[in-house]
Amino acid sequence: MTAARSLTTVAELVDAGLVSEAGRAGATAVADRYAVAITPALVPLIDRNDPHDPIARQFVPDAAELVTLPEERADPIGDLAHSPVEGIVHRYPDRVLLKAVHVCPVYCRFCFRREMVGPEGLGTLSAKALDAAIAYVAERPEIWEVILTGGDPLVLSPRRLQAILERLAAIAHVKIVRFHTRVPVVDPARVDAALIAALKASGKTTYVALHANHPREFTAEASAAIGRIVDAGLVMISQTVLLKGVNDDAAVLADLMRTFVENRIKPYYLHHPDLAPGTAHFRLTLAEGRALVEGLRGRVSGLCQPAYILDIPGGHGKVRADSTAVEEAGDGCFRVRDFRGKTHAYPPGEEQA
Ligand code: SF4
């Protein structure tokens, strides 16, 4: 059965057979705390007879989310510590995140920004805040790349998106625009001519990073939407979160990376799951993640190799999780060197919480 609109309440999930009566109370407690949305395109992909369905696991609320561990934090990658003006995150010298909207077409149960996104999240930038964010970029010639993320920027209407992109077009030192989105797989019909025209409106070299975590997300409709983007001259790269019970399997990971490449998307990031609240049931250890990534090397084409990335908790930036910058320190702990040469414990100790 294909739903006509997104499922956003536990009652709708129960009606659709995605949450059992026994699971209703737990799912309700989760939905009271974190946003829920499953798009019509995803609903038919879920096998209700499989209690371990990898699509359901990503989107259907689970009582395990009610358990928050001491090392988990509301802002696991430290966006707020690097936000000089509302809507901008400036963590690295040559690039900024521009978070114009904190709404998504789906709400991932493992989301690293789960305390910021959703109907009750940080919302959409006001016209005044957007002016200040654009001015921040315009005044800093070192900003070479602007990454539109959120939330999912592709939920904005093409008209609003185009208006933002046209303002970036006027900033000569910005050479690259990048979008981070799940829309091509979770709501492929949204990728129409108007949206593609908006994505191209800056006139800059434009990348679209698609977030997908399991090969089954690539339906014929999703592949067609991706094809429309690539045919329009935009470069596509991937990002995937390594998730227990979804893709922590060498064959599934290999299949996923090959599926990206077959769809003309270059695998880019494989993220180690962040310390977001209530997500312990998704997290592998770094040692487990390294073994899985090692399993890809040599066995699948070089085109299919993503960079395995740890976002150092606290906003210290990304590091290759399988590089010498991440060293075992015993008892499942690691020493992680950030891009400035400073060392941090992972998992972080209480002093860094
Ligand atoms: S699409 Fe991205 S920002 Fe939105 S819920 Fe999923 S992980 Fe979070």
Side-chain angles (χ1 to χ4, degrees):
M1 181 190 71
T2 302
R5 60 177 187 81
S6 295
L7 307 179
T8 58
T9 67
V10 173
E12 289 169 344
L13 296 175
V14 172
D15 283 350
L18 298 178
V19 169
S20 66
E21 275 304 336
R24 186 192 283 265
T28 302
V30 173
D32 285 346
R33 170 118 203 248
Y34 303 113
V36 172
I38 307 179
T39 51
L42 285 178
V43 172
L45 298 187
I46 297 174
D47 177 357
R48 291 159 176 81
N49 297 317
D50 178 2
H52 307 295
D53 182 88
I55 309 296
R57 189 164 166 80
Q58 291 184 66
F59 303 109
V60 177
D62 184 314
E65 294 170 55
L66 299 170
V67 180
T68 300
L69 300 187
E71 65 268 30
E72 295 177 340
R73 63 248 345 251
D75 181 18
I77 70 166
D79 279 356
L80 297 176
H82 292 88
S83 183
V85 297
E86 191 186 348
I88 292 282
V89 178
H90 197 177
R91 200 185 324 268
Y92 308 97
D94 74 340
R95 54 208 186 273
V96 292
L97 305 183
L98 173 55
K99 301 199 288 183
V101 64
H102 286 86
V103 174
C104 302
V106 285
Y107 291 105
C108 311
R109 307 323 308 162
F110 49 85
C111 175
F112 65 130
R113 295 197 176 116
R114 60 189 333 203
E115 302 277 9
M116 305 177 197
V117 299
E120 320 230 325
L122 299 184
T124 302
L125 280 192
S126 66
K128 195 166 157 223
L130 183 62
D131 285 350
I134 299 281
Y136 181 89
V137 175
E139 287 159 10
R140 285 168 179 77
E142 67 274 20
I143 298 175
W144 173 81
E145 179 181 20
V146 175
I147 301 166
L148 283 101
T149 181
D152 192 321
L154 273 61
V155 303
L156 289 167
S157 71
R159 185 184 56 77
R160 289 189 74 175
L161 206 48
Q162 180 141 353
I164 296 172
L165 272 291
E166 283 171 355
R167 296 180 73 180
L168 292 178
I171 306 175
H173 58 260
V174 172
K175 304 293 186 192
I176 306 293
V177 170
R178 190 196 322 172
F179 296 91
H180 282 193
T181 183
R182 291 208 93 172
V183 163
V185 289
V186 304
D187 192 4
R190 200 171 175 92
V191 182
D192 59 11
L195 181 65
I196 289 175
L199 296 178
K200 295 181 74 171
S202 73
K204 316 272 185 188
T205 299
T206 300
Y207 285 73
V208 177
L210 173 69
H211 172 183
N213 300 322
H214 193 278
R216 270 182 31 212
E217 293 169 43
F218 288 79
T219 59
E221 293 76 16
S223 287
I226 292 163
R228 292 193 287 278
I229 296 172
V230 178
D231 286 345
L234 304 173
V235 185
M236 288 193 72
I237 55 178
S238 77
Q239 53 175 352
T240 291
V241 186
L242 188 55
L243 297 165
K244 201 185 266 187
V246 175
N247 55 26
D248 61 332
D249 175 281
V252 172
L253 263 190
D255 191 6
L256 175 63
M257 296 304 148
R258 284 185 170 135
T259 304
F260 279 127
V261 173
E262 289 163 16
N263 281 275
R264 297 183 284 168
I265 300 173
K266 173 69 187 87
Y268 180 47
Y269 278 157
L270 178 64
H271 295 277
H272 190 74
D274 293 309
L275 293 167
T279 63
H281 54 300
F282 284 113
R283 270 198 307 281
L284 298 76
T285 65
L286 269 175
E288 289 166 337
R290 284 174 148 191
L292 276 165
V293 170
E294 190 56 38
L296 287 178
R297 309 278 181 240
R299 292 184 178 81
V300 289
S301 162
L303 280 175
C304 301
Q305 307 290 337
Y308 178 35
I309 294 293
L310 174 71
D311 249 299
I312 306 172
H316 304 290
K318 292 182 171 57
V319 63
R320 291 283 297 246
D322 52 351
S323 73
T324 53
V326 178
E327 285 179 357
E328 292 213 50
D331 291 335
C333 296
F334 289 79
R335 264 189 306 275
V336 182
R337 202 172 58 253
D338 69 24
F339 73 101
R340 294 191 171 87
K342 201 168 161 223
T343 301
H344 310 270
Y346 185 88
E350 303 237 328
E351 73 285 356
Q352 290 174 302

